[in-house]
Amino acid sequence: MIVDCAIYRDGRRSDGPDDLSDALAQARADGNAFLWIGLHEPTEQEFGHVTSEFGLHPLAVEDALKAHQRPKIEVYDDSLFMVLKPVTYDADNDTVSSGEVMLFVGDSFVVTVRHGEGSPLGEVRDRLEKDPDMLRHGPTTVLYAIADATVDHYLEVATELQTDLEELEAEVFSPSAGGTRNTASRIYTFKRQILEFRRATGPLAVPLTRLAGMGQFSTGVPFVEGEAQPFFRDVSDHLTRVNESVEGLDRLVSDILSAHLAQMSVRQNDDMRKISAWAAMAAVPTMIAGIYGMNFDHMPELHWVWSYPAVVLLMVVLEIGLYRLFKQRGWM
C-alpha cells in the first residue's frame, strides 16, 4: 500500500494531486520539483498502477514485488533501480534480521518500496523535510540519504555484535563456564547471525562504488548527479569499515569455536587420565584380593599369623605409591 506521497518543490513539501500521472507531470513541469512515493509491501495490483504511470521496467518491478534480493543497482532506460537491505539486531535473542528497501529513481520521481522491518525510510523522510537546502537537490538526495542511513545503522549493528562477541569470548575462556554444552551451539548460532549480516553488507560494496564513480565506474550513473559522488564515496568508506569489521568478527568467531573445541578435547583427555588412574589404583587391590580368594588348599602364606595384615599393608603401600606417581604426572 502507499504509505506516503508528496511533491517537493525547491526542497519543501507540498501536497500534489491524487492522480499519480498529474502529480508527476506537475513535478516535471516545475523543473525544480520531484515526486516521492513510499510503498510498504505492495500487492501486484497496487504496484501495477505505479508501474504504468512511471514506466518502470518489468524486471525491476518483479524484483520489487517478490523481494528476497541481494543488494544491487541496475540502470534501465527510464529509471535507476537499487536494492538495500537494512539490518536490525536483537541483543536479547542474539538474532540479526534484515528487511529490504527498493528504490526507483527517475526523471523527477523517487519510488521506494519497503519489505520487512528495520527500514530507515520514515526517519530519512522526516530528516530531509527539516533540511530543505539538502532536499532541493532532488531524487539523488533521497537515494544518498537512504543509503547513508542504512550503512550508518550497519556500523551500530557491528558495534553491538562486537560487544556480544566479547562476552561470548569471556564465557568460552572462563574456567567455570567454558565447558558448558550450550557454548558450542551459541557460537555456531552467532556465526550464522554474522553470515546473515554479511549477506546485507558484502554485495552492497559494488553498487556504492558505482555510485561513487570510483575505479572502472568513473563515468557515473544515469539519474544520479555527478556532484553527489563525493557523498557516495563517504558512504562507501563507511561500508568498507563495516565489511572489515564483519570479516574480523567472522574470523574471531571461528577462532573462538576452534579454541572451545580444543578446550573440550583437553578436558576430556584430563577426565580420561583421571578415570584411568583411579581404575589402575582399584585394579591393584582387586588383583591381590582375587589371588588370595582362590580356594586352593596348598597356597603359601595362607596359614601364616601375619598374612592378613601383611597383605593389607602391601595394598596400602601400593595404593600410596600409585597415587603419588599419578599426582606427580598430573593425572590426578
Side-chain angles (χ1 to χ4, degrees), residues 88-110:
T88 57
Y89 180 59
D90 185 355
D92 295 332
N93 298 320
D94 295 336
T95 56
V96 172
S97 57
S98 60
E100 290 186 44
V101 173
M102 285 81 166
L103 296 97
F104 294 87
V105 180
D107 180 17
S108 299
F109 73 86
V110 177

Side-chain angles (χ1 to χ4, degrees), residues 10-25:
D10 198 25
R12 300 189 180 278
R13 179 183 179 120
S14 62
D15 294 331
D18 294 334
D19 185 82
L20 295 181
S21 180
D22 294 340
L24 181 59

Side-chain angles (χ1 to χ4, degrees), residues 21-146:
S21 180
D22 294 340
L24 181 59
Q26 193 175 110
R28 287 174 173 171
D30 290 346
N32 62 342
F34 70 94
L35 177 65
W36 183 357
I37 300 176
L39 301 97
H40 177 236
E41 298 182 358
T43 63
E44 185 174 354
Q45 183 177 2
E46 291 172 340
F47 202 52
H49 182 56
V50 177
T51 301
S52 60
E53 294 295 339
F54 291 89
L56 304 180
H57 197 278
L59 292 178
V61 171
E62 181 181 359
D63 290 343
L65 289 173
K66 293 184 177 181
H68 304 294
Q69 304 295 317
R70 299 172 74 249
K72 62 180 180 178
I73 186 170
E74 295 177 355
V75 179
Y76 299 101
D77 293 336
D78 298 325
S79 64
L80 170 73
F81 177 64
M82 186 170 183
V83 180
L84 297 167
K85 292 181 75 69
V87 168
T88 57
Y89 180 59
D90 185 355
D92 295 332
N93 298 320
D94 295 336
T95 56
V96 172
S97 57
S98 60
E100 290 186 44
V101 173
M102 285 81 166
L103 296 97
F104 294 87
V105 180
D107 180 17
S108 299
F109 73 86
V110 177
V111 178
T112 55
V113 182
R114 175 169 63 91
H115 292 268
E117 303 299 328
S119 169
L121 293 180
E123 298 176 2
V124 169
R125 188 186 286 262
D126 292 340
R127 187 172 70 251
L128 288 177
E129 289 178 354
K130 295 176 183 178
D131 190 1
D133 291 336
M134 185 175 181
L135 193 57
R136 65 166 50 98
H137 291 286
T140 302
T141 300
V142 178
L143 178 62
Y144 159 72
I146 294 175

Side-chain angles (χ1 to χ4, degrees), residues 226-291:
E227 294 80 3
Q229 288 185 349
F231 296 93
F232 284 109
R233 277 198 289 270
D234 180 67
V235 179
S236 180
D237 290 341
H238 290 174
L239 181 65
T240 300
R241 288 172 50 195
V242 172
N243 285 329
E244 290 175 351
S245 178
V246 171
E247 290 178 4
L249 290 172
D250 189 49
R251 288 195 299 268
L252 187 56
V253 170
S254 298
D255 293 342
I256 290 175
L257 180 59
S258 299
H260 172 67
L261 295 178
Q263 281 184 329
M264 295 296 293
S265 178
V266 169
R267 288 187 178 126
Q268 289 176 352
N269 290 336
D270 290 340
D271 292 340
M272 289 302 298
R273 286 189 299 181
K274 291 178 181 179
I275 293 172
S276 300
W278 284 111
M281 293 176 63
V284 171
T286 301
M287 179 188 68
I288 296 175
I291 292 174

